[in-house]
């Protein structure tokens, strides 16, 4: 994949799951990886050129992480805004208000703050790639997951908006909408919810982290030149739009 070798790529929520798989795929292309995660213990167990303990819901924490990363490793070439939580599964009328707000904070505000930090440098250098990990829930709206579905629809809108704001630069902004992939994220959900998600996938199986990573790596590459603000589906045929 052209343009990845030597680039510094920040991956939020990169200590495990999809973020870590994306890191490994980009490393295979020669990228230098900066993993940003709130879980210091998990972060300490994984190797990367740079690791930062950061809470993506906290603007000061994100700005400080960027400053440390760039001081040590130079400018950020790409951001994969991946950190996310599902929150618990409840009907909307039963959803605890604090839990609903927390999902919006991590999954929507966290993406905003991560992009807000890196965009000025990318705009100034007239180069960059931003890949947002959204979800098929943001397109389809999963029952029992109104906060998650709303946050993921929100980052699809953010991707389209930011893509247009940067369209006259060489910064490209795209998002991926995966269906269910077996990661530790499943532990946050009710087993019935996980079974329901699998039943909705026409291919009849969960996705693999490597399949999402392949798409994310492509979206970090120079291969994506005439595409921005776009939504790339990775859902085993669930969302064919
Ligand atoms: N696994 C799936 O089925 C699936 C499907 C569609 C979309 N996604 C999305 O992919 C992304 C990654 O999911 P995953 O399955 O790898 O989950 P995961 O739980 O395995 O990993 C998420 C990581 O994000 C980190 N994180 C959580 N809150 C944070 C915060 N405030 N600041 C910094 N880091 C934080 C966690 O510590 C964790 O390491 C999420 O945005 C998720 O919504 C996952």
């Amino acid at each position: 994949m052209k343009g990845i070798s030597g680039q510094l790529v920040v991956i939020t929520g990169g200590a495990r799951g999809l973020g870590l798989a994306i890191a490994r795929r980009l490393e295979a292309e020669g990228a230098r990886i900066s993993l940003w995660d709130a879980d210091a213990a998990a972060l300490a167990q994984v190797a990367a050129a740079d690791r930062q303990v950061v809470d993506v819901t906290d603007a000061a924490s994100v700005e400080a992480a960027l400053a440390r990363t760039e001081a040590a490793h130079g400018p950020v070439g790409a951001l994969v805004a991946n950190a996310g939580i599902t929150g618990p599964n409840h009907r909307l009328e039963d959803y605890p208000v604090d839990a609903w707000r927390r999902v919006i904070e991590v999954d929507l505000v966290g993406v905003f703050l991560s992009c807000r930090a890196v965009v000025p440098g990318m705009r100034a250098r007239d180069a960059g790639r931003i890949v947002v990990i959204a979800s098929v829930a943001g397109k389809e709206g999963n029952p029992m997951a109104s906060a998650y579905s709303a946050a993921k629809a929100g980052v699809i809108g953010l991707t389209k908006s930011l893509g247009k704001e940067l369209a006259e630069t060489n910064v490209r902004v795209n998002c991926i909408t995966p269906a269910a992939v077996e990661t530790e994220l499943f532990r946050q959900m009710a087993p019935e919810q996980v079974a329901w998600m699998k039943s909705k996938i026409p291919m009849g199986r969960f996705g693999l982290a490597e399949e999402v990573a392949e798409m994310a790596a492509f979206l970090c590459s120079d291969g994506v030149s005439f595409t921005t603000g776009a939504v790339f589906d990775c859902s085993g045929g669930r969302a064919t739009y």
Side-chain angles (χ1 to χ4, degrees):
M1 292 189 190
K2 279 195 291 184
I4 293 178
S5 185
Q7 291 285 349
L8 177 63
V9 184
V10 167
I11 304 175
T12 69
R16 59 167 64 80
L18 299 187
L20 190 56
I22 294 166
R24 296 303 179 234
R25 182 65 188 86
L26 286 165
E27 279 171 343
E29 295 290 333
R32 296 170 297 133
I33 300 298
S34 175
L35 300 178
W36 291 10
D37 205 289
D39 186 340
L43 206 50
Q45 288 172 14
V46 291
D50 184 59
R51 294 172 296 184
Q52 302 290 339
V53 180
V54 53
D55 178 356
V56 296
T57 69
D58 178 346
S61 173
V62 171
E63 295 289 345
L66 180 67
R68 290 194 300 270
T69 295
E70 294 203 324
H73 301 281
V76 172
L79 165 71
V80 181
N82 163 83
I85 58 174
T86 63
N89 298 120
H90 297 286
R91 292 193 300 210
L92 183 144
E93 65 269 34
D94 300 328
Y95 216 102
V97 173
D98 287 350
W100 210 95
R101 287 189 197 275
R102 181 68 189 159
V103 173
I104 299 295
E105 278 293 317
V106 177
D107 293 4
L108 177 54
V109 180
V111 173
F112 160 63
L113 293 176
S114 303
C115 292
R116 185 175 179 273
V118 301
V119 163
M122 289 182 176
R123 193 190 282 279
R125 293 186 294 276
D126 194 25
R129 295 287 181 270
I130 296 176
V131 181
V132 175
I133 308 301
S135 169
V136 73
K139 287 172 134 184
E140 300 258 300
N142 284 352
M144 311 297 281
S146 57
Y148 187 72
S149 301
K152 293 301 186 178
V155 294
I156 292 171
L158 181 153
T159 299
K160 294 179 180 184
S161 175
L162 184 58
K164 290 188 179 74
E165 287 182 18
L166 292 166
E168 291 181 6
T169 74
N170 283 305
V171 183
R172 302 287 170 260
V173 187
N174 293 289
C175 72
I176 302 177
T177 54
V181 178
E182 254 179 308
T183 66
E184 289 182 39
L185 197 76
F186 276 24
R187 293 187 191 169
Q188 299 173 33
M189 289 180 275
E192 315 82 69
Q193 186 78 9
V194 172
W196 177 84
M197 292 190 310
K198 187 176 180 185
S199 76
K200 301 297 283 185
I201 301 174
M203 288 188 194
R205 65 167 176 89
F206 292 122
L208 302 175
E210 291 73 20
E211 291 172 317
V212 179
E214 191 68 24
M215 194 172 269
F218 170 66
L219 294 176
C220 287
S221 78
D222 286 353
V224 180
S225 51
F226 197 50
T227 304
T228 199
V231 184
F232 285 74
D233 199 69
C234 190
S235 71
R238 178 170 171 195
T240 50
Y241 59 95

